[in-house]
Amino acid sequence: DQQVKQNSPSLSVQEGRISILNCDYTNSMFDYFLWYKKYPAEGPTFLISISSIKDKNEDGRFTVFLNKSAKHLSLHIVPSQPGDSAVYFCAAKDDSNYQLIWGAGTKLIIKP
Amino acid sequence: KAGVTQTPRYLIKTRGQQVTLSCSPISGHRSVSWYQQTPGQGLQFLFEYFSETQRNKGNFPGRFSGRQFSNSRSEMNVSTLELGDSALYLCASSGASYGYTFGSGTRLTVV
């Protein structure tokens, strides 16, 4: 049973436009959420995170929104740039164990 | 400070063989987690070690095992390799915060 779901395997966005990556979760015990970015043949790198006590966190072009009632979070990238083309993973952590639960990833392609 | 180092970067093994992968975490980090990434499957959690103890384990068969040394370096072993074990194996280290820092991974190909 997937506790963290990224239902879009891929997303194609025009350069300069907004990219919106979505993530849904089922476990209400999750209290911290992270987004990672991964290029081919490299390990994922941390992008941005959000605590469950907040509904928004912004860092430059990247903003993460959390809707706890809907158990949904999204990552907005504005404006999208060619270097943003990568696989984006959503991950969630609950306080009862030390394991990060990962989504399957969404491949973002930025078109020129 | 140095990042997470995984060795080797690439490995080719034959079915039935065994393999050991190594991970050196960021200095001061006591938690090391291992993940398997295959195309379309995202990151599958293998296990996590903290202060030489396995703190968490994913749903992988017993052929997959690991250990952590007193200097926090960790090794992962896969015995009786199968073709389906071909994957990118990633190691991540974590300190006091929730952030995980990943290594570049070991690409294992089983032929």
Side-chain angles (χ1 to χ4, degrees), chain B residues 61-104:
Chain B
R63 300 185 296 108
F64 292 81
S65 62
R67 58 178 175 168
Q68 187 180 32
F69 302 95
S70 59
N71 61 358
S72 292
R73 188 178 73 85
S74 177
E75 286 182 348
M76 190 192 96
N77 185 76
V78 188
S79 62
T80 321
L81 284 166
E82 300 176 359
L83 294 179
D85 296 333
S86 294
L88 179 67
Y89 289 88
L90 291 160
C91 159
S93 80
S94 178
S97 69
Y98 283 127
Y100 281 51
T101 302
F102 283 83
S104 296

